[in-house]
Amino acid sequence: MNKLPKELPNIEILEEKDKRLRMKSKDVTFPLPDEDIKRIHDMMDYLEMSQIEDIREKYDLRAGMGLAYIQLGIAKRIFVIVYEVEEGKFERYVVVNPKIKSTSEEMVYIAEGEGCLSINRPTEGIVPRHARMRLTAFNEYGEEYDLRIREELSVAFQHELDHLDGILFTDKIDPKNPYKNQNKYRSI
């Protein structure tokens, strides 16, 4: 169990109009500087705190599950995911220089719609994502790992992978027909 800080880490997330969100992030080399390791841990603490109701209310936060470096204005291929596996229990993923190894043919979408900490407006529509995927990446200490993920976690990883290439989830919604081909995909 991670011990959360008493105060919310100082994380400033770019808004969708900021052109830096459209930059393609670059691979990093190891070892990462100490400031990157601290930032990665601050980002995970921030996300976990945003998912705990009383902390979220105290700081007036929107709940978030993932955050990419580019959302802080830094074009490095790094993102973090903090996934609540059960009430108050979180799994943390540090993803550096990720490479997709395989994806499922089956496509899914989040029934209530995807969200993003950089997009502070209601959005409607479906974002087709692979139901399962496999990737390799490194943690913040340069240790390589292989990961198989599915369902919501797979969607979150694909959302953050898009950020690394300057893509926002809203780019994947057809503005003329936001629910286009909805019957072709499984809702989760």
Side-chain angles (χ1 to χ4, degrees), residues 9 85 109 120:
V85 287
Y109 67 93
N120 294 312

Side-chain angles (χ1 to χ4, degrees), residues 106-153:
E106 183 189 17
M107 302 295 281
V108 296
Y109 67 93
I110 301 290
E112 63 270 11
E114 280 188 37
C116 179
L117 292 175
S118 289
I119 298 177
N120 294 312
R121 61 181 168 88
T123 55
E124 285 203 14
I126 62 165
V127 181
R129 302 284 191 186
H130 298 282
R132 294 168 304 286
M133 65 184 301
R134 191 176 139 240
L135 69 138
T136 59
F138 296 87
N139 68 14
E140 66 270 44
Y141 304 110
E143 299 161 338
E144 189 171 17
Y145 64 92
D146 193 61
L147 190 62
R148 290 177 191 270
I149 48 179
R150 55 191 308 271
E151 305 295 315
E152 292 92 352
L153 202 49

Side-chain angles (χ1 to χ4, degrees), residues 12-64:
E12 292 190 28
I13 300 169
L14 301 180
E15 299 284 323
E16 71 178 300
K17 290 177 182 66
D18 195 308
K19 294 192 180 346
R20 290 175 289 176
L21 283 173
R22 298 306 188 160
M23 292 170 52
K24 193 165 171 57
S25 297
K26 305 240 184 300
D27 278 349
V28 300
T29 54
F30 292 99
L32 291 180
D34 290 346
E35 69 187 39
D36 277 331
I37 293 172
K38 180 184 182 327
R39 185 179 296 115
I40 286 166
H41 294 164
D42 283 352
M43 290 165 69
M44 289 188 295
D45 287 345
Y46 180 96
L47 289 172
E48 185 170 328
M49 292 169 88
S50 81
Q51 293 181 58
I52 299 169
E53 190 174 353
D54 52 342
I55 297 176
R56 183 170 60 244
E57 288 173 4
K58 175 182 175 181
Y59 292 106
D60 190 29
L61 301 174
R62 289 174 45 234

